[in-house]
Amino acid sequence: MNEKQQSRSKKLHDLSLLLKKNKCSTAYSKSAASSGVSWPDANDSDCSNKQKQIDSTIDAVKSALAGFGVLAPTSSQQQVWNRSIPSTLYQTPKCTPALTTIMPLSRVPPGAKICGQQPSNNDGNADVLVEVWKHSLTSNEESGNQAAGDVQHRPLQGNLSSKLSEYTRGTMGVRRPFRPGGMDDDDDEYQDDDIKEDIATTVESKYLSEEAVTNARRALTLGSKKAWEEGILITSPPGVSFRVGLSYDDVFTDGDNLEMVDNSGGDDEDGDELAAKVAALSMDDDVGTAATFAGNAFAVPSSTIWDKKIFDDDSLFGESTSGSESDSEESEDDNIEEEGNDDLETSEVAEEKPPAKEPEFLSPEDEVDSLLAEMKHTLQSPIDRAMAEKKVSTSIHPNLSTGSSDDQKNTKNRKSWAVTDYIPLTDDADFHTLCPNPALTFPFELDDFQKQAILRLEKRQCVFLAAHTSAGKTVCAEYAVALAKKHCTRAIYTSPIKALSNQKYRDFRSKFGEDVGLITGDMQIGADGSCLIMTTEILRSMLYRGADLIRDIEWVIFDEVHYINDSERGVVWEEVIIMLPEYVNMIFLSATTPNTIEFSEWIGRTKRKPVHVIRTNYRPVPLSHHLWAGHKMHKIMEGKQGFDSKGYAAASKALLPASARAKVDAKSNKGGSKANTTTGKQSSVPGKPATGSKLTSWQQQGTKQDWISLTRHLEKEGLMPTVTFSFSKKKCEEIANQLRSLDLNTAAERNLVQSFAIQTVARLSPKDQILPQVVNTVEMVKRGVGVHHGGLLPILKEMVEILFSRNLIKILFATETFAMGVNMPARSVVFNAIRKHDGVQFRELQPGEYVQMAGRAGRRGLDTVGTVVLCCFGDHPPPQTMLKNMLTGSSTKLQSQFRLTYTMILNLLRVEDMSVEGMIKRSFSEFATQRALTNNEYPKLLTRGTKTLAKLDEEFKHDVDSRIGAEDIEEYYASSSNVLSSAKELLCYILSSGGTGGGALVAGRLVLVTSARKHGYVRAPAVVLKPPTPSSNISSASSNESDGIVCIVLLPQSYTSVKDKEGEPVLGDLNYVGLQKDRFYVIHELSLDEILLVSDKKCKIDSNVLLKEKSSSMSIRRGALGNPFAGARSMQRREADDPFAGMNARGKKNDDTSRNKPSVSQETQVVDDVVTFLMNSEETELQTGLGVLDLRDCAKNMHQGNSAVEFGAAYARYEQNITLLRHFRSHYHPILEIHYKVVDRREILRSRVRTLRKLLSNESLQLFPDFLQRKALLQTLGYVDENDTVCLKGRVACEVNTCEGLIVTEMVFGGLLSELEPTEIVAALSALIFQEKTDEEFDSELPERLVASCNGMKAIALDLGQRQKDHGLPVDPLEYCATSLKMGLVHVVYEWACGVPFSSICELTDVQEGSIVRCITRLDELCREVRNCARVVGNPTLYRKMEMASEAIKRDIVFASSLYVS
């Protein structure tokens, strides 16, 4: 035996000795008896019999352990269960708080649960000790609020008394460990004088003081949670073990001497050493001898514990409006409310403590302003925030800390769900050491990324594997299947297309045997296997139905996950990822994408588990890219090298005509080295006129001779087999037919192809064997030429794929679908064109698409390099920039295509585990928004804002007596806000053309301004000193910041002066405050939203006296943020920088400055006139009201179209609001600004709280309005009732997943299908399946009932489209009808259902054979869905008709068995 087995035998021997010592124990006897082991009786006097029985028992235990593989079997024994011993068997489990406690039986409270059988108390004087479950000692109310979870992660769970006695270690606690600190209750039992003396003696000890006893009692009164928040009770933080224990100072001191160890950085050597010691301590068996390291009980390495709380909090769960939220979400909301209440109570307790320094606290008004500033900063966009930081602050408030640095710190320290750490592989810990018993071995050496993936799978972790095409990602999928087979669970392999599913079924079946199943829309094979292969849509249907199969799944493999970018089917991937149960591990196989981390972060955050990202740019076979020009190949890039401009220039030259090429050569020889300096530029053709043909000539297609020449060259250079990608089905057929004269196979290969083709065609009926497509394809593959596209019959496509994989097809012309996951590598790849039609328009190939197809070049182990050829058949190659971007550009990002469908909404309304809002929140499209909400301080700000708002509302109600004469201040504020918004709207319009807005804001214009919270005045008269600049006009329309309107404002009478300080502004500067005629005035720069009224009065004023030029330059600098030319100077302004400006001409006196500079008396007179004008205007407004300037006259020459009518209506509302404003008593209050400021501060806070609440609610979801509109439509149609309960029509619509479910449901309930025959039903339903554009005119041979039903389907589609439009959805009824219904194959399907041969129905349409077969195949799936609809409704007649319709189309070539399956 080896050392490990000897050690195990020794431990077993020690165990037997221990059992001998305790053989009289009743508990051990009962445990042994329940296990089938007979122990000797304790009363037996025969020692020899006892010893024999003990020896026989030990031998039986050894035999059992040997049988299970724990001990090595002897020669006479046979191991009945051979398995690897898990490493966790020899590891000491993590220390967690004990679940039970020991206490006297008399002390056990009612309702407490005793562990094991309750012993009988035989001795009346002795109290028997029993083991009691801790959770049963807590009150029902407290235990009900505790969240169920891991014991190690609960802050305080169990009896508070036992916790205190465990942590304090006081003498009283030792004496009476079952009461906190030895404290006595007020019961009569503990009123003995002797006991009281003991208590007094204990309190005076060095371990417990009177303060400690008071704190312990207070902890019991408040409860564990609040006591912990106040600092009275110190508990174990989440993920930290109290192996060492806590001293008295750890519990009842402030914790200043504690040093929290942070091992997250990994750079601190002391921290690493301490972590190693603690790790060694956790493996020590003797807990009592554990030593304290540096006096710190918190030093536990965070890397050894995985706690979900170390990651960012999840904000995905909120209130639902669909009525189907789970109980867990509601409990989370309750917990949030409880935490908020606890915070409030804690803050109230904290406020009772006297402040240390009084100047550190702000006034209540400043606190609210600080909160408003923080909210504004948080809610600002990054651009607006940057602009606001650059602006010069003119506020009287101190600079407020916005917490941006804390946000950056939190973002830096935030753990990511996407883990990129690799497992280090060294000589001592190599792959085979870390994985000694692999579930699957491979006949080749694995690459590093494959080893990393397998090690992660062994740990049951989610993996995202991003690698190039043909790099070997399937190894990870195969290993997951082997793990599921080993664990007796299931693995689901999902693929984007059915062809890939069939191929993977063949590959996996050859590798894993018959334990592999295939589930598609039309067949189920081996549904009980441990590995099931299916499309993603099938898995989604299983999840919605809640199939029993889901409970057995351990792994789900998403192959080609970058298919999530598909606009039509990409949403299916997101649905499946979101709905998969938590216990399912996921594997994602994808091509290289630039945002792999972001996508993995979304997956991990959605599933609440880390996702290990393994990325590699390693390509087993490097690629060499060439241009085919002039019957030659010109290399333009190879491997990771850059783009070769010389090769591109050579290809450009090769495409020139012979005469032009000779002239270029002569010119280059004559020019010598000058011509070589133009590397990378296309040579111009002498004498050829410059036209636009050069831009499109590279798109020309090759002729028959061109393709024959290219094929011969590939054959000569040994570059076959070759895949030629063409983005047109017809073009693939056309090019293949041009090579009829070529025979690329040898005689032996031709015989192999012929024999396989005969076996394939033999599966068809005699009539189908002579189909033109079958005959042409068989003849083509014999010569080594193949075609692969969607229009080919499925059985022919499979025949071509198998022959190509066997190297019996030398050149294959295929569409883009051939590169979608089908494992068919080639020696070289040829691109017929680099432009494709994406369903909307023609465009160039994206880098990701090019890499996906070009990656098929190069067979691992056979080729040293993969060759990629781009055909150039025109006069010029593709533009160089286009080629560079395609060859070296970044791959396509994974983008969400999530959208709401009616079927999704109805299915989610039926289930309880997921709501529609929850699905939207968890989608990839909402990931960035939800993560931003989590990272920001939105929840905390909302809590603070809500509390502050409630406090302000309460204060406002109590201060009602102080608002005599201003009782209607709230209504006045609302009316004033309407006037301010109307004025801003009108002024923005008239200032949009520049200037002063038709004289509205010319210098000297009298306006009323309101800026209560910022500047402290309301409806104050002001005179415009400087009109807005053009740059500020632009900003005024889009921002509420300063717009450069400089005014002199008369301050209210309640304004008090401030002491003079050094550096204060003087007259002529902004923010200058002066005193004239016992009234203060100020020069401020205001924005348009601060102008309350534009009066028709004007004041003659010299603005140069009150406003200096340098002071207005600040606005120019501010405007530079939005206008790049704001700092530019005109020609007139440049003379100010003249170096001779200070010199005078000879004979002239320097009197310019004295003439331009006003005297002190002039300044005083100007200020006096302006202040007098403002005081008179203020008096006029309070008595009769100022006249309002008619802004319609200012905008006469600006109107276009209906803008004059709209502007007139807006101005009418503006006048009406001004009239209403002057009816309030508050308008004439002498200290209006004081009351207005209180309401202004409160309403702004209310608005921002409302904004935060909306951001954190479902209303902030991008698709939430769409959901409400669709749900309203479903309620109108009767699919859902007012309680969001799915009705009968909704349950019928849930059965349809193949096409538009609403149309099918309306057809079923409208009786449209009940009147038709089965052949007519299936023909009508084909309109919902077929997708290609063809002639949709009905043939006269069709039955009238079928034509009428088709017209009825169009009427239903138009009605549904109109209803969707009426509910606000962006749907055009005609477009909706045309998209949902295509009648191109109605006649074809009808004839097929009537029994017409396939060759005959092909003559009825131009649609290719493969498209017809695919339509009929999906039609059979739709027939089964409609049959289920009839079952739900209870229509047996329709049920039987749908069965007959399905049987009518199931025949011959359409449903021929797959070559991969049979």
Side-chain angles (χ1 to χ4, degrees), residues 18 114 157 202 240 276 341 344 408 496 528 550 602 637 648 668 682 748 775 841 1008 1098 1122 1174 1254 1414:
L18 181 63
I114 299 177
Q157 181 80 356
T202 306
V240 178
N341 297 332
L344 181 59
Q408 295 176 359
D528 297 331
I550 305 300
W602 165 70
M637 195 175 76
Y648 181 84
S668 60
Q682 298 184 15
V775 175
Q841 61 181 356
L1008 294 183
K1098 293 172 59 178
L1174 293 175
K1254 181 178 180 180
R1414 186 166 60 253

Side-chain angles (χ1 to χ4, degrees), residues 916-937:
V916 182
E917 298 90 337
M919 177 70 77
I920 299 175
K921 286 181 181 179
R922 292 165 174 81
S923 66
F924 188 37
S925 59
E926 291 287 342
F927 169 63
T929 303
Q930 296 298 322
R931 182 175 57 178
L933 292 178
T934 304
N935 295 340
N936 286 325
E937 299 294 330

Side-chain angles (χ1 to χ4, degrees), residues 1210-1228:
Y1211 181 76
R1213 291 192 300 270
Y1214 171 64
E1215 281 188 328
Q1216 183 179 1
N1217 291 332
I1218 292 178
T1219 304
L1220 178 63
L1221 183 70
R1222 289 171 174 169
H1223 279 81
F1224 292 102
R1225 293 181 59 188
S1226 299
H1227 186 71
Y1228 308 98

Side-chain angles (χ1 to χ4, degrees), residues 547-580:
D548 296 337
L549 173 67
I550 305 300
R551 295 179 299 184
D552 302 333
I553 298 177
E554 182 184 7
W555 299 96
V556 173
I557 306 159
F558 295 91
D559 197 4
E560 306 293 337
V561 74
H562 52 267
Y563 204 83
I564 197 174
N565 289 337
D566 186 76
S567 58
E568 293 295 329
R569 302 171 56 205
V571 63
V572 181
W573 272 257
E574 296 190 49
E575 289 184 75
V576 172
I577 293 172
I578 293 172
M579 291 191 299
L580 278 175

Side-chain angles (χ1 to χ4, degrees), residues 97 142 146 151-160 162-164 166-167 219 223-242 245-247 249-253 258 260 297-298 309:
E142 180 181 358
Q146 293 288 353
V151 179
Q152 185 179 359
H153 296 162
R154 288 196 287 250
L156 185 63
Q157 181 80 356
N159 190 5
L160 180 62
S162 62
K163 290 290 181 182
L164 286 173
E166 178 184 355
Y167 296 161
S224 60
K225 184 175 182 181
K226 294 180 181 178
W228 174 71
E229 291 176 350
E230 291 189 11
I232 300 175
L233 178 64
I234 305 298
T235 62
S236 170
V240 178
S241 175
F242 278 100
L246 290 179
S247 64
D249 294 333
D250 294 335
V251 179
F252 292 109
T253 58
L258 294 177
M260 299 299 294
F298 296 94
K309 296 181 180 179

Side-chain angles (χ1 to χ4, degrees), residues 818-951:
F818 185 79
M820 184 57 67
V822 180
N823 186 18
M824 299 290 175
R827 176 69 176 83
S828 61
V829 169
V830 177
F831 285 89
N832 174 43
I834 58 175
R835 283 174 59 86
K836 59 174 286 189
H837 193 273
D838 57 1
V840 180
Q841 61 181 356
F842 281 98
R843 61 171 176 81
E844 287 75 25
L845 290 178
Q846 297 177 356
E849 297 171 337
Y850 175 80
V851 171
Q852 177 76 12
M853 289 180 280
R856 296 300 168 190
R859 298 164 297 179
R860 189 170 188 175
L862 297 177
D863 305 323
T864 58
V865 65
T867 305
V868 184
V869 181
L870 287 80
C871 296
C872 302
F873 297 121
D875 296 335
H876 301 276
Q880 184 173 349
T881 55
M882 183 189 302
L883 290 177
K884 278 186 178 181
N885 178 61
M886 189 174 65
L887 270 65
T888 62
S890 60
S891 303
T892 307
K893 287 186 176 182
L894 296 176
Q895 298 178 351
S896 175
Q897 303 296 332
F898 186 84
R899 70 182 190 280
L900 290 177
T901 62
Y902 295 105
T903 304
M904 181 195 302
I905 295 174
L906 292 171
N907 280 315
L908 291 176
L909 290 178
R910 295 179 67 185
V911 300
E912 297 180 357
D913 297 335
M914 179 73 67
S915 64
V916 182
E917 298 90 337
M919 177 70 77
I920 299 175
K921 286 181 181 179
R922 292 165 174 81
S923 66
F924 188 37
S925 59
E926 291 287 342
F927 169 63
T929 303
Q930 296 298 322
R931 182 175 57 178
L933 292 178
T934 304
N935 295 340
N936 286 325
E937 299 294 330
Y938 289 169
K940 296 181 181 178
L941 282 178
L942 179 59
T943 303
R944 290 175 53 195
T946 303
K947 296 178 181 179
T948 306
L949 183 61
K951 185 178 180 181

